[in-house]
């Protein structure tokens, strides 16, 4: 048995190659990148926006500022340098993003639910997302698929979807086809109908939807051995 | 130069000031924030890339009139309930927001430290932030490319926490550096709280030094980064970040907590002792 | 990744390239400059804030068609005679100059490393440089202040010398850092020569690390900064800077010196030995 | 006995107060600032453009990059940071400049003698001077007074004289009066006529020209003890 979070982390990790430079936040992205590093991509380079480049945590950090990230990093730089020389410098291959809302074009909202000036829910805000979305080569989005998250219209566009290459959800995998996110894969035990139901727009579905390979024993062992701290 | 945190805040922070208490997940100047609350500073414009618990406390206690920020949350836990209450319901007072991206704010701090009126970045590309922040298009005179200009951040007071200072007031910090150097250099006045004061700052890997003449006041505040951490001194209090979600959710409970642990304590040592007692009690 | 300096120059530097061999008084990549001369690179646009002896040698040997710089001299001694001969008499070939101030060039490197098309500074204020360099006025969209924009420096090849690298090619340097990090990050390709290659880069005060994936080639070149110095390895050869004034003053003597110590030597070790012999002889 | 260089260094040092932040180059300025540090202004902060802040050399450096500057500095920063955060940041009180030519307004030429495109003598160039001249509060100029250096018209204006507060020469001291450099002091053994003769323009002379106090024993001892390496 494995959780949907574990399925998501494993699917994200499978998409990271050895030597890729990844800009990761806390949570599933950090879990996925570290899993890749401990399995098939030991040379995967983890960059945290806190300024740590090439961090090699043995446990999953709870904050992007955890001391172990600095201790194990190849280099620690200031935050202005991180965004100017490294992110804007075009040195990052993959950037992970999450959000409260996503639309069919991969645009994301992590700013507000409701009107900006009369918010129903004030969310934390964009942080690094607006420039991660435009300055990295490939954006990987990870979020749970529900009608409230997968919406026809965003309440606020925090970041653009132009560089989104894949959306990894608890139900399956979406990839842009002619600029619209399309269901290309469902996780074991999930049907295309489930994915449609969980989407707030008329979901495009590929002709040949594949079923995700479940996590291997090796993947689960590596993943769980990481989660002593972060879980 | 070397003074008490109380005197530093008395002398250098005025009602209505623009104040940046910076710390990017590490070395967050919590003790300094508590001193602002004890001294009942009002009408502050608070600046910070990543406002977290100490800003939730300042906002919940009614010290702030405006927040300039790029990400406001409880890292790894969720929302800041006092911040949300201020923005969503105007409690205890309405809070004006000036919202940026991290890249934009970092460039604005860098411009401030460089004594330039604006910073330049490739950012704010056709998203809704553009309409909600202070950004202007600027064209490269050589290539014609259009980029984003952000106005420099020049706080009245910059406040940071560092590991050590020597007796002349030279400040040394290491580990994750955030925007602390830029905050001090961009601000008209600055306060640094430190874990310890030493005779000599022996060189350390990854450490930067802010010469005493770039800082107005250095105050000893051991544990002053709680619930954040000070690399080489103590760990992040992860349980406290989780506990804060509960404490801050209800306005009255928040008030009681602040009364007991901040208003009824004289300084960081009493605060730490008081929080430690209640944690033990909770166990 | 790890290779010989000869192979690195063969693979990465082409005739006509724009090449920056940086080093601000410390860690000047002399050995790499000599390898460019041995491999008879031609038509290079050489970039450097402070061109000194190694650039005098490259120019005197006819490798360069253009020099982008802000201060060109023999520090503490005087002129660069081969540079002057090229500029004043077109010998061995005319040398086009693009002249900046240090502040302008530093901002241009910073812009290059930031992948921005231009940098901004408060500079080039009504002096005659403005007419002789690449600078354009730019107005702050918020305050209206007019500042100077300089086009980003983006060399084809950036070459620096550092103290150490590990076997994976991560590079570590410390002491005076100059613009070496910006040079590597601003360049399309980069070569780093190092004093030694070690198993592990243990952290050092004041050290920065360039991750292996930001560098194209790392080559062992012990003593490769001569006559400059490598902090923690050897001192600056001050006598050589003084001696160079004599050696370079006369074109023929310069040619003979270059033939004997650079063209007739295969690498930095033979160069060092050859120079050492002639120094002893001179004594 | 003492040399005219020693007189110049001593006069420059006398103008530096404790706690002043000085941007110094190699040669006489470095000598003067270090002399001040070893006599009346121990808290004088030496900043070298190579990136060393608060350097405390025991011997005079021959190059602004000498290792001892980094070893004894409070902080070592990159060259871009030095010019952006520290010089342009407005943190420097006094900047020293030399030149090949100076005019009556304190404008300096360190670029070229003759036409720029057909140079008689190609000089090293401006280096830090153009921005030092505009970004520090007070510019101190040190150079030997000759008709070839003190010219009616510069061949090239490398830096502006607006912030020049004093010109210290081997003959005396000039200060701007209504924007024109005026002889206010002559060194012992020098006459106003000598200074006039050494100036390529009609030199303005103050009504009450003072004679410089010769170097004291203490000043000379401190100065010479510094010069083991730098001289």
């Amino acid at each position: 048995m494995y959780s949907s979070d574990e399925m998501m982390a494993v699917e994200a990790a499978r998409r990271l190659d050895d030597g890729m430079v990844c800009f990761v936040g806390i949570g599933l992205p950090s879990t996925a990148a570290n899993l890749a590093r401990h399995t098939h991509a030991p040379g995967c380079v983890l960059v945290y926006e806190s300024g740590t480049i090439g961090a090699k945590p043995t446990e999953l950090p709870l904050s992007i500022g955890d001391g172990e990230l600095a201790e194990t990093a190849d280099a620690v730089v200031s935050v202005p340098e991180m965004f100017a020389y490294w992110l804007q410098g075009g040195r990052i291959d993959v950037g992970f993003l999450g959000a409260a809302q996503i639309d069919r074009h991969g645009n994301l909202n992590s700013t507000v639910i409701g009107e900006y000036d009369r918010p129903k829910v004030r969310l934390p805000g964009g942080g690094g997302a607006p420039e991660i979305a435009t300055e990295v080569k490939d954006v990987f989005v990870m979020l749970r698929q529900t009608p409230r998250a997968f919406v026809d219209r965003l309440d606020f566009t925090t970041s653009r979807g132009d560089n989104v290459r894949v959306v990894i959800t608890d139900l399956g995998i979406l990839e842009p086809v002619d600029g619209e996110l399309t269901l290309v894969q469902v996780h074991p035990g999930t049907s295309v109908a489930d994915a449609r139901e969980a989407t707030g727009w008329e979901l495009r579905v590929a002709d040949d939807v594949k079923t995700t390979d479940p996590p291997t024993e090796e993947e689960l062992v590596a993943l769980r051995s990481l989660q002593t701290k972060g879980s | 130069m070397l003074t008490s945190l109380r005197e530093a805040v008395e002398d250098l922070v005025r009602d209505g000031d623009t104040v940046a208490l910076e710390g990017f997940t590490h070395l967050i100047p919590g003790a300094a924030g508590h001193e602002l609350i004890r001294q009942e500073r009002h009408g502050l414009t608070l600046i910070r890339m990543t406002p977290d618990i100490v800003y939730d406390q300042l906002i919940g206690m009614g010290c702030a009139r405006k927040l300039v920020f790029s990400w406001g949350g409880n890292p790894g836990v969720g929302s800041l309930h006092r911040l949300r209450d201020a923005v969503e319901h105007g409690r205890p007072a309405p809070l004006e927001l000036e919202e940026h991206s991290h890249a934009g704010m970092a460039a604005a701090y860098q411009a401030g430290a460089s004594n330039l009126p604006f910073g330049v970045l490739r950012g704010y590309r056709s998203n809704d932030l553009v309409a909600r922040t202070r950004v202007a298009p600027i064209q490269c005179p050589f290539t014609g490319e259009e980029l984003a200009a952000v106005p420099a951040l020049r706080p009245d007071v910059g406040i940071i926490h560092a590991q050590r200072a020597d007796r002349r007031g030279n400040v040394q910090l290491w580990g994750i550096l955030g925007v602390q150097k830029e905050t001090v250099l961009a601000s008209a006045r600055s306060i640094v709280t430190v874990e310890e004061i030493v005779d000599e700052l022996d060189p350390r890997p990854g450490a930067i030094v802010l010469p005493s003449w770039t800082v107005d006041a250095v105050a000893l505040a051991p544990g002053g980064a709680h619930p954040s951490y000070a690399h080489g001194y103590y760990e992040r209090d992860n349980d406290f970040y989780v506990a804060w979600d509960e404490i801050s959710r209800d306005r009255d409970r928040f008030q009681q907590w602040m009364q007991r642990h901040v208003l009824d304590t004289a300084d960081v040592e009493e605060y730490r002792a008081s929080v430690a007692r209640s944690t033990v009690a909770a166990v």
Side-chain angles (χ1 to χ4, degrees), chain A residues 26 49-52 62-71 76-81 83-84 87-88 110-111 116-117 119-131 134-135 154-160 162 229, chain B residues 24-26 49 69-73 75-76 78-79 83-84 87-88 97-104 106-107 109-110 120-129 132 147 175-179 182 229 231 235-236 238 242:
Chain A
I26 288 309
E49 67 187 4
S50 52
T52 56
L62 186 57
S63 133
I64 53 167
D66 274 18
E68 198 191 9
L69 297 181
E71 282 156 12
V76 179
V77 302
S78 73
V79 165
E81 179 180 325
F83 282 94
L87 179 61
Q88 183 175 266
S110 55
T111 302
Y116 188 90
D117 293 321
K120 266 205 224 61
V121 182
R122 173 63 226 199
L123 304 165
E131 284 71 32
T134 54
E135 299 304 303
L154 298 177
D155 291 358
F156 189 96
T157 304
T158 308
S159 70
R160 307 285 306 177
D162 313 73
K229 183 181 181 186
Chain B
F24 202 91
T25 76
H26 174 216
M49 289 182 71
F69 77 112
S70 41
W71 190 89
S79 293
L83 167 60
R84 283 186 55 182
V87 174
E88 294 170 15
L97 295 183
E98 180 183 318
E99 188 156 5
H100 296 266
S101 67
H102 280 350
Y109 268 122
Q110 215 168 5
V120 176
L121 70 153
R122 188 176 286 102
Y124 296 100
R125 291 264 190 88
S126 50
N127 59 42
D128 291 343
L129 264 176
R132 296 296 178 172
L147 295 127
I176 286 169
L177 301 171
V179 287
E182 287 74 17
Y229 70 107
H231 199 134
E235 295 264 300
R236 189 170 188 270
N238 292 323
V242 174

Side-chain angles (χ1 to χ4, degrees), chain A residues 135-186:
Chain A
E135 299 304 303
V136 302
K137 296 183 190 69
D138 300 327
V139 174
F140 289 11
V141 177
M142 299 180 79
L143 79 164
R144 310 191 139 270
Q145 197 162 352
T146 72
R148 290 181 56 209
F150 283 61
V151 297
D152 190 49
R153 282 184 99 274
L154 298 177
D155 291 358
F156 189 96
T157 304
T158 308
S159 70
R160 307 285 306 177
D162 313 73
N163 298 342
V164 170
R165 307 286 174 244
V166 62
V167 179
I168 297 160
T169 85
D170 53 330
L171 303 183
I173 304 293
L174 292 77
E175 289 173 2
V177 176
D178 318 326
E180 178 167 339
L181 291 175
T182 304
L183 185 72
V184 297
Q185 212 173 298
V186 288

Side-chain angles (χ1 to χ4, degrees), chain A residues 2-17 22 24-41 44 60 94 96 140-144 166-173 185 187-188 212-216 218-227 231:
Chain A
Y2 55 87
S3 72
S4 58
D5 272 6
E6 289 175 325
M7 184 74 260
M8 288 172 75
V10 164
E11 268 296 285
R14 288 168 175 171
R15 286 167 168 74
L16 299 177
D17 301 336
C22 306
V24 294
I26 288 309
L28 280 177
S30 172
T31 308
N34 279 293
L35 175 58
R37 217 168 46 74
H38 285 84
T39 53
H40 65 282
C44 181
L60 293 178
V94 174
F96 285 93
F140 289 11
V141 177
M142 299 180 79
L143 79 164
R144 310 191 139 270
V166 62
V167 179
I168 297 160
T169 85
D170 53 330
L171 303 183
I173 304 293
Q185 212 173 298
H187 299 326
T212 310
D213 297 332
T216 65
E218 186 216 356
E219 287 169 329
L220 284 177
V221 168
L223 179 54
R224 288 166 185 172
S225 73
L226 281 168
Q227 276 168 335
S231 59

